[in-house]
Amino acid sequence: MAENTFGGVIGYALAPKKQNSFIRDSLLTLAKSRGIELVRVDSDKPLVDQGPFDCVLHKLYGDDWKRQLQEFKTRFPNALILDAPEAIERLHNRISMLQVVSELRIQDRTDTFGIPKQIVIYDKATLMDPQAWESLKFPVIAKPLVADGSAKSHKMALVFTRDVLDKLKPPIVLQEFVNHGGVIFKVYVVGEHVRCVKRKSLPDVSEEKKVGVSENLMSFSQVSNLANHDAENDNDGYYRLMHLDDTEMPPNAFVVDIARGLRRALKLNLFNFDVIRDARYGNRYLIIDINYFPGYAKMPGYEAVLTQFFCDVMLKKEQEEQQGEGRVTVSTKDNEESFQV
């Protein structure tokens, strides 16, 4: 199938670290070959004075940036913002981000999905009140309630006993740890494109041995970091014996249905979500986290996927502008997402 070429200028507004990882020469070259020009938004200048842009691709936060996007939208009503700040902000709270999972309805599947049992703790008094978390079984993972991409929001802890709860700093989410075979599935969503990959995760916790460590609380910034730490320190060679290639992937149709449901409910096009398989039930999957505009460069062939998405957006935008309807629609086989422009 021949690739179509659609002209368009996309301004990207990204933090330096995100820009360095995402905006690679390989992406710029491929996008340009399809008529898509990616232009850096100068953070030292008002957005409204830059461009013209057919689309603004962004991952910046704060009231000033939201104001700039609103002004830009007022001045250039036909421009597309990917994605809407209001939709992104839902993912900044670890409770609201997963509430959407309960709204999904996936039909005719033998596999089931949900989220781990979890509670939110807003203050120290509640944290130290046994009745507040009596429904949870240890170990639990403690995560900051705020998930805004900052270093602080990534500071998590695996907590084995209630004796160390006083070391935690509310507001936090306590999420029951579920054995999942030491493997996490990361599902990347780019518009209608869905890609699932597998990564090493936390080892299972047995009754006799708790991950091979003596501490009652282990801090980490990412699941993969703690996994690497344990790989160096475990005595039973857990990770040396485990082969990711031996781990069966979730059914692709099942993952795609969840991804499309989340995309529709969240009104987002660029995100990923982390899934684990509950070791107690072979067909039970738990969504534990959702992230906006993740590290797509870690996804094999991300340049082609993102470039095709940009072309799809530009095509629909052009078609709708010609029809004079003022809306841009990006379609999937069984779902349509509309962007107000």
Side-chain angles (χ1 to χ4, degrees):
M1 181 177 178
E3 292 182 339
N4 295 320
T5 299
F6 307 101
V9 179
I10 297 178
Y12 60 87
L14 306 171
K17 185 177 180 181
K18 173 64 69 174
Q19 181 176 306
N20 291 337
S21 66
F22 181 75
I23 303 296
R24 298 182 176 178
D25 289 341
S26 53
L27 175 63
L28 295 173
T29 301
L30 182 58
K32 189 173 183 179
S33 72
R34 301 284 301 278
I36 303 295
E37 184 179 4
L38 295 171
V39 178
R40 183 180 70 87
V41 171
D42 190 339
S43 60
D44 294 327
K45 300 178 181 178
L47 176 62
V48 74
D49 294 337
Q50 302 181 59
F53 300 127
D54 296 293
C55 173
V56 174
L57 180 72
H58 73 102
K59 191 179 182 180
L60 296 179
Y61 307 124
D63 293 337
D64 179 67
W65 177 244
K66 287 178 64 177
R67 178 186 56 78
Q68 289 198 54
L69 286 175
Q70 291 170 352
E71 291 179 354
F72 183 83
K73 193 69 173 173
T74 300
R75 178 80 64 86
F76 305 102
N78 286 334
L80 177 62
I81 306 297
L82 288 175
D83 278 305
E86 296 76 14
I88 297 172
E89 287 176 354
R90 182 170 187 173
L91 299 187
H92 289 176
N93 180 297
R94 283 197 163 91
I95 292 296
S96 64
M97 77 161 59
L98 294 183
Q99 285 176 338
V100 68
V101 177
S102 63
E103 303 170 11
L104 302 184
R105 295 293 180 268
I106 307 300
Q107 303 296 329
D108 302 324
R109 298 290 181 198
T110 57
D111 300 281
T112 63
F113 67 96
I115 64 174
K117 186 180 296 184
Q118 61 181 22
I119 60 173
V120 60
I121 302 292
Y122 291 100
D123 53 60
K124 276 282 188 181
T126 307
L127 180 64
M128 302 312 296
D129 179 5
Q131 293 184 342
W133 37 262
E134 63 181 358
S135 63
L136 294 185
K137 294 181 180 179
F138 284 87
V140 298
I141 294 181
K143 305 179 179 182
L145 177 62
V146 175
D148 58 2
S150 65
K152 182 179 179 181
S153 70
H154 287 298
K155 290 184 177 180
M156 301 178 236
L158 184 58
V159 184
F160 294 99
T161 69
R162 65 191 66 183
D163 301 333
V164 293
L165 288 174
D166 60 330
K167 296 183 180 180
L168 304 176
K169 296 181 179 179
I172 57 174
V173 173
L174 297 181
Q175 190 177 82
E176 199 168 280
F177 179 82
V178 175
N179 284 340
H180 51 281
V183 177
I184 189 170
F185 304 101
K186 304 187 79 68
V187 183
Y188 293 91
V189 180
V190 184
E192 65 181 77
H193 182 89
V194 179
R195 178 78 61 84
C196 181
V197 300
K198 49 189 173 182
R199 298 280 186 266
K200 291 181 180 180
S201 179
L202 303 180
D204 289 347
V205 177
S206 66
E207 292 298 328
E208 300 78 16
K209 187 178 182 183
K210 296 182 176 179
V211 203
V213 297
S214 58
E215 302 99 319
N216 288 326
L217 182 148
M218 293 184 63
S219 299
F220 59 98
S221 58
Q222 292 181 345
V223 167
S224 58
N225 289 349
L226 185 54
N228 291 333
H229 168 81
D230 287 337
E232 298 171 357
N233 295 283
D234 65 348
N235 295 321
D236 58 3
Y238 182 91
Y239 282 105
R240 288 189 293 273
L241 294 173
M242 188 188 75
H243 300 285
L244 278 177
D245 292 343
D246 297 335
T247 301
E248 182 181 357
M249 296 288 284
N252 185 65
F254 178 64
V255 170
V256 170
D257 281 350
I258 294 176
R260 288 177 175 170
L262 287 175
R263 181 186 174 212
R264 183 169 53 247
L266 294 170
K267 297 181 173 61
L268 293 173
N269 291 276
L270 301 168
F271 64 95
N272 78 345
F273 57 100
D274 295 339
V275 183
I276 59 175
R277 181 188 288 118
D278 191 332
R280 297 167 296 184
Y281 316 99
N283 63 343
R284 176 71 173 171
Y285 295 88
L286 301 174
I287 298 172
I288 60 173
D289 207 3
I290 307 176
N291 305 286
Y292 180 67
F293 206 142
Y296 282 119
K298 298 177 182 178
M299 181 179 71
Y302 91 100
E303 299 94 339
V305 173
L306 269 297
T307 295
Q308 185 59 54
F309 171 68
F310 296 151
C311 288
D312 291 342
V313 169
M314 290 298 103
L315 171 62
K316 291 297 181 181
K317 183 175 185 295
E318 181 179 311
Q319 290 176 338
E320 297 296 344
E321 285 180 350
Q322 291 175 352
Q323 295 171 4
E325 294 180 359
R327 292 187 66 84
V328 179
T329 304
V330 178
S331 301
T332 65
K333 292 181 180 178
D334 52 5
N335 171 53
E336 287 193 347
E337 278 299 323
S338 295
F339 302 95
Q340 191 69 47
V341 298

